[in-house]
PDB file of all heavy atoms in Angstrom:
ATOM      1  N   LEU H1141      -0.269 -10.408  35.164  1.00  0.00           N
ATOM      2  CA  LEU H1141      -1.156  -9.681  34.261  1.00  0.00           C
ATOM      3  C   LEU H1141      -2.596 -10.128  34.450  1.00  0.00           C
ATOM      4  O   LEU H1141      -2.864 -11.303  34.687  1.00  0.00           O
ATOM      5  CB  LEU H1141      -0.726  -9.911  32.810  1.00  0.00           C
ATOM      6  CG  LEU H1141       0.691  -9.436  32.454  1.00  0.00           C
ATOM      7  CD1 LEU H1141       1.026  -9.800  31.028  1.00  0.00           C
ATOM      8  CD2 LEU H1141       0.820  -7.938  32.668  1.00  0.00           C
ATOM      9  N   MET H1142      -3.503  -9.190  34.320  1.00  0.00           N
ATOM     10  CA  MET H1142      -4.921  -9.504  34.457  1.00  0.00           C
ATOM     11  C   MET H1142      -5.369 -10.355  33.274  1.00  0.00           C
ATOM     12  O   MET H1142      -5.696 -11.502  33.444  1.00  0.00           O
ATOM     13  CB  MET H1142      -5.727  -8.207  34.547  1.00  0.00           C
ATOM     14  CG  MET H1142      -7.207  -8.423  34.524  1.00  0.00           C
ATOM     15  SD  MET H1142      -7.854  -8.829  36.103  1.00  0.00           S
ATOM     16  CE  MET H1142      -9.102  -7.603  36.256  1.00  0.00           C
ATOM     17  N   GLY H1143      -5.384  -9.825  32.096  1.00  0.00           N
ATOM     18  CA  GLY H1143      -5.768 -10.587  30.910  1.00  0.00           C
ATOM     19  C   GLY H1143      -7.205 -11.079  30.944  1.00  0.00           C
ATOM     20  O   GLY H1143      -7.872 -11.074  31.976  1.00  0.00           O
ATOM     21  N   ASP H1144      -7.676 -11.528  29.799  1.00  0.00           N
ATOM     22  CA  ASP H1144      -9.060 -11.987  29.665  1.00  0.00           C
ATOM     23  C   ASP H1144      -9.348 -13.247  30.485  1.00  0.00           C
ATOM     24  O   ASP H1144     -10.451 -13.423  30.987  1.00  0.00           O
ATOM     25  CB  ASP H1144      -9.391 -12.249  28.189  1.00  0.00           C
ATOM     26  CG  ASP H1144      -9.458 -10.956  27.385  1.00  0.00           C
ATOM     27  OD1 ASP H1144      -9.672  -9.886  27.989  1.00  0.00           O
ATOM     28  OD2 ASP H1144      -9.280 -11.026  26.157  1.00  0.00           O
ATOM     29  N   ARG H1145      -8.359 -14.119  30.612  1.00  0.00           N
ATOM     30  CA  ARG H1145      -8.582 -15.365  31.357  1.00  0.00           C
ATOM     31  C   ARG H1145      -8.643 -15.121  32.860  1.00  0.00           C
ATOM     32  O   ARG H1145      -9.264 -15.899  33.580  1.00  0.00           O
ATOM     33  CB  ARG H1145      -7.482 -16.373  31.035  1.00  0.00           C
ATOM     34  CG  ARG H1145      -7.585 -16.895  29.603  1.00  0.00           C
ATOM     35  CD  ARG H1145      -6.540 -17.913  29.290  1.00  0.00           C
ATOM     36  NE  ARG H1145      -6.596 -19.033  30.215  1.00  0.00           N
ATOM     37  CZ  ARG H1145      -5.597 -19.862  30.434  1.00  0.00           C
ATOM     38  NH1 ARG H1145      -4.458 -19.701  29.812  1.00  0.00           N
ATOM     39  NH2 ARG H1145      -5.720 -20.862  31.276  1.00  0.00           N
ATOM     40  N   ASN H1146      -8.001 -14.079  33.345  1.00  0.00           N
ATOM     41  CA  ASN H1146      -7.960 -13.832  34.778  1.00  0.00           C
ATOM     42  C   ASN H1146      -9.084 -12.919  35.263  1.00  0.00           C
ATOM     43  O   ASN H1146      -9.347 -12.848  36.459  1.00  0.00           O
ATOM     44  CB  ASN H1146      -6.599 -13.253  35.177  1.00  0.00           C
ATOM     45  CG  ASN H1146      -5.493 -14.276  35.007  1.00  0.00           C
ATOM     46  OD1 ASN H1146      -5.729 -15.476  35.057  1.00  0.00           O
ATOM     47  ND2 ASN H1146      -4.290 -13.805  34.781  1.00  0.00           N
ATOM     48  N   LYS H1147      -9.746 -12.229  34.339  1.00  0.00           N
ATOM     49  CA  LYS H1147     -10.834 -11.334  34.734  1.00  0.00           C
ATOM     50  C   LYS H1147     -11.963 -12.085  35.451  1.00  0.00           C
ATOM     51  O   LYS H1147     -12.407 -11.648  36.521  1.00  0.00           O
ATOM     52  CB  LYS H1147     -11.370 -10.594  33.510  1.00  0.00           C
ATOM     53  CG  LYS H1147     -11.594  -9.146  33.801  1.00  0.00           C
ATOM     54  CD  LYS H1147     -12.067  -8.270  32.665  1.00  0.00           C
ATOM     55  CE  LYS H1147     -12.021  -8.822  31.293  1.00  0.00           C
ATOM     56  NZ  LYS H1147     -12.481  -7.906  30.263  1.00  0.00           N
ATOM     57  N   PRO H1148     -12.451 -13.209  34.934  1.00  0.00           N
ATOM     58  CA  PRO H1148     -13.506 -13.940  35.659  1.00  0.00           C
ATOM     59  C   PRO H1148     -13.047 -14.411  37.046  1.00  0.00           C
ATOM     60  O   PRO H1148     -13.838 -14.404  37.994  1.00  0.00           O
ATOM     61  CB  PRO H1148     -13.803 -15.146  34.756  1.00  0.00           C
ATOM     62  CG  PRO H1148     -13.335 -14.737  33.404  1.00  0.00           C
ATOM     63  CD  PRO H1148     -12.180 -13.817  33.635  1.00  0.00           C
ATOM     64  N   PHE H1149     -11.777 -14.775  37.166  1.00  0.00           N
ATOM     65  CA  PHE H1149     -11.239 -15.182  38.474  1.00  0.00           C
ATOM     66  C   PHE H1149     -11.344 -14.032  39.464  1.00  0.00           C
ATOM     67  O   PHE H1149     -11.795 -14.202  40.601  1.00  0.00           O
ATOM     68  CB  PHE H1149      -9.785 -15.641  38.313  1.00  0.00           C
ATOM     69  CG  PHE H1149      -9.075 -15.872  39.608  1.00  0.00           C
ATOM     70  CD1 PHE H1149      -9.272 -17.050  40.314  1.00  0.00           C
ATOM     71  CD2 PHE H1149      -8.225 -14.915  40.131  1.00  0.00           C
ATOM     72  CE1 PHE H1149      -8.630 -17.267  41.526  1.00  0.00           C
ATOM     73  CE2 PHE H1149      -7.580 -15.108  41.338  1.00  0.00           C
ATOM     74  CZ  PHE H1149      -7.775 -16.298  42.041  1.00  0.00           C
ATOM     75  N   VAL H1150     -10.947 -12.848  39.030  1.00  0.00           N
ATOM     76  CA  VAL H1150     -11.003 -11.667  39.898  1.00  0.00           C
ATOM     77  C   VAL H1150     -12.455 -11.384  40.288  1.00  0.00           C
ATOM     78  O   VAL H1150     -12.759 -11.125  41.463  1.00  0.00           O
ATOM     79  CB  VAL H1150     -10.367 -10.442  39.194  1.00  0.00           C
ATOM     80  CG1 VAL H1150     -10.650  -9.160  39.954  1.00  0.00           C
ATOM     81  CG2 VAL H1150      -8.879 -10.655  39.027  1.00  0.00           C
ATOM     82  N   GLU H1151     -13.350 -11.447  39.332  1.00  0.00           N
ATOM     83  CA  GLU H1151     -14.761 -11.165  39.608  1.00  0.00           C
ATOM     84  C   GLU H1151     -15.353 -12.182  40.580  1.00  0.00           C
ATOM     85  O   GLU H1151     -16.098 -11.811  41.498  1.00  0.00           O
ATOM     86  CB  GLU H1151     -15.547 -11.129  38.295  1.00  0.00           C
ATOM     87  CG  GLU H1151     -15.180  -9.924  37.436  1.00  0.00           C
ATOM     88  CD  GLU H1151     -15.634 -10.023  35.995  1.00  0.00           C
ATOM     89  OE1 GLU H1151     -16.064 -11.117  35.551  1.00  0.00           O
ATOM     90  OE2 GLU H1151     -15.556  -8.990  35.298  1.00  0.00           O
ATOM     91  N   ARG H1152     -15.025 -13.451  40.416  1.00  0.00           N
ATOM     92  CA  ARG H1152     -15.522 -14.483  41.343  1.00  0.00           C
ATOM     93  C   ARG H1152     -14.930 -14.302  42.737  1.00  0.00           C
ATOM     94  O   ARG H1152     -15.595 -14.527  43.745  1.00  0.00           O
ATOM     95  CB  ARG H1152     -15.232 -15.882  40.796  1.00  0.00           C
ATOM     96  CG  ARG H1152     -16.191 -16.278  39.675  1.00  0.00           C
ATOM     97  CD  ARG H1152     -16.078 -17.748  39.332  1.00  0.00           C
ATOM     98  NE  ARG H1152     -14.788 -18.091  38.757  1.00  0.00           N
ATOM     99  CZ  ARG H1152     -14.479 -18.049  37.467  1.00  0.00           C
ATOM    100  NH1 ARG H1152     -15.387 -17.677  36.591  1.00  0.00           N
ATOM    101  NH2 ARG H1152     -13.285 -18.387  37.043  1.00  0.00           N
ATOM    102  N   THR H1153     -13.678 -13.888  42.785  1.00  0.00           N
ATOM    103  CA  THR H1153     -13.037 -13.653  44.077  1.00  0.00           C
ATOM    104  C   THR H1153     -13.723 -12.510  44.810  1.00  0.00           C
ATOM    105  O   THR H1153     -13.970 -12.588  46.026  1.00  0.00           O
ATOM    106  CB  THR H1153     -11.531 -13.351  43.885  1.00  0.00           C
ATOM    107  OG1 THR H1153     -10.938 -14.425  43.179  1.00  0.00           O
ATOM    108  CG2 THR H1153     -10.827 -13.191  45.209  1.00  0.00           C
ATOM    109  N   LEU H1154     -14.051 -11.441  44.081  1.00  0.00           N
ATOM    110  CA  LEU H1154     -14.777 -10.336  44.700  1.00  0.00           C
ATOM    111  C   LEU H1154     -16.178 -10.772  45.142  1.00  0.00           C
ATOM    112  O   LEU H1154     -16.668 -10.333  46.198  1.00  0.00           O
ATOM    113  CB  LEU H1154     -14.861  -9.149  43.747  1.00  0.00           C
ATOM    114  CG  LEU H1154     -13.579  -8.338  43.621  1.00  0.00           C
ATOM    115  CD1 LEU H1154     -13.673  -7.335  42.476  1.00  0.00           C
ATOM    116  CD2 LEU H1154     -13.262  -7.631  44.930  1.00  0.00           C
ATOM    117  N   LEU H1177     -10.852  -2.376  39.882  1.00  0.00           N
ATOM    118  CA  LEU H1177     -11.444  -3.163  38.796  1.00  0.00           C
ATOM    119  C   LEU H1177     -12.282  -2.264  37.890  1.00  0.00           C
ATOM    120  O   LEU H1177     -12.245  -2.409  36.665  1.00  0.00           O
ATOM    121  CB  LEU H1177     -12.289  -4.311  39.352  1.00  0.00           C
ATOM    122  CG  LEU H1177     -12.966  -5.212  38.320  1.00  0.00           C
ATOM    123  CD1 LEU H1177     -11.930  -5.859  37.383  1.00  0.00           C
ATOM    124  CD2 LEU H1177     -13.813  -6.280  39.013  1.00  0.00           C
ATOM    125  N   TYR H1180      -9.895  -0.462  35.724  1.00  0.00           N
ATOM    126  CA  TYR H1180      -9.387  -1.386  34.706  1.00  0.00           C
ATOM    127  C   TYR H1180     -10.398  -1.515  33.564  1.00  0.00           C
ATOM    128  O   TYR H1180     -10.028  -1.441  32.399  1.00  0.00           O
ATOM    129  CB  TYR H1180      -9.103  -2.748  35.345  1.00  0.00           C
ATOM    130  CG  TYR H1180      -8.603  -3.772  34.364  1.00  0.00           C
ATOM    131  CD1 TYR H1180      -7.254  -3.869  34.061  1.00  0.00           C
ATOM    132  CD2 TYR H1180      -9.485  -4.640  33.725  1.00  0.00           C
ATOM    133  CE1 TYR H1180      -6.788  -4.801  33.146  1.00  0.00           C
ATOM    134  CE2 TYR H1180      -9.032  -5.570  32.807  1.00  0.00           C
ATOM    135  CZ  TYR H1180      -7.686  -5.649  32.525  1.00  0.00           C
ATOM    136  OH  TYR H1180      -7.233  -6.571  31.607  1.00  0.00           O
ATOM    137  N   ARG H1181     -11.653  -1.711  33.922  1.00  0.00           N
ATOM    138  CA  ARG H1181     -12.709  -1.842  32.902  1.00  0.00           C
ATOM    139  C   ARG H1181     -12.854  -0.564  32.080  1.00  0.00           C
ATOM    140  O   ARG H1181     -13.049  -0.609  30.866  1.00  0.00           O
ATOM    141  CB  ARG H1181     -14.035  -2.186  33.560  1.00  0.00           C
ATOM    142  CG  ARG H1181     -14.113  -3.607  34.073  1.00  0.00           C
ATOM    143  CD  ARG H1181     -15.419  -3.843  34.769  1.00  0.00           C
ATOM    144  NE  ARG H1181     -15.559  -5.228  35.189  1.00  0.00           N
ATOM    145  CZ  ARG H1181     -16.271  -5.610  36.247  1.00  0.00           C
ATOM    146  NH1 ARG H1181     -16.911  -4.713  36.976  1.00  0.00           N
ATOM    147  NH2 ARG H1181     -16.349  -6.887  36.564  1.00  0.00           N
ATOM    148  N   ALA H1182     -12.777   0.590  32.744  1.00  0.00           N
ATOM    149  CA  ALA H1182     -12.919   1.868  32.041  1.00  0.00           C
ATOM    150  C   ALA H1182     -11.738   2.121  31.103  1.00  0.00           C
ATOM    151  O   ALA H1182     -11.909   2.707  30.028  1.00  0.00           O
ATOM    152  CB  ALA H1182     -13.051   3.012  33.051  1.00  0.00           C
ATOM    153  N   SER H1184      -9.936  -0.209  29.582  1.00  0.00           N
ATOM    154  CA  SER H1184      -9.817  -1.234  28.530  1.00  0.00           C
ATOM    155  C   SER H1184     -10.169  -0.725  27.133  1.00  0.00           C
ATOM    156  O   SER H1184      -9.392  -0.920  26.194  1.00  0.00           O
ATOM    157  CB  SER H1184     -10.642  -2.468  28.893  1.00  0.00           C
ATOM    158  OG  SER H1184     -10.055  -3.116  29.998  1.00  0.00           O
ATOM    159  N   PRO H1185     -11.316  -0.051  26.931  1.00  0.00           N
ATOM    160  CA  PRO H1185     -11.593   0.452  25.568  1.00  0.00           C
ATOM    161  C   PRO H1185     -10.632   1.567  25.151  1.00  0.00           C
ATOM    162  O   PRO H1185     -10.340   1.722  23.965  1.00  0.00           O
ATOM    163  CB  PRO H1185     -13.039   0.953  25.639  1.00  0.00           C
ATOM    164  CG  PRO H1185     -13.345   1.111  27.083  1.00  0.00           C
ATOM    165  CD  PRO H1185     -12.446   0.180  27.830  1.00  0.00           C
TER     166      PRO H1185
END
Side-chain angles (χ1 to χ4, degrees):
L1141 299 176
M1142 173 83 126
D1144 290 338
R1145 290 182 57 201
N1146 292 334
K1147 224 177 348 181
F1149 171 80
V1150 169
E1151 291 165 349
R1152 284 191 294 271
T1153 304
L1154 284 170
L1177 180 59
Y1180 179 86
R1181 287 177 176 151
S1184 291

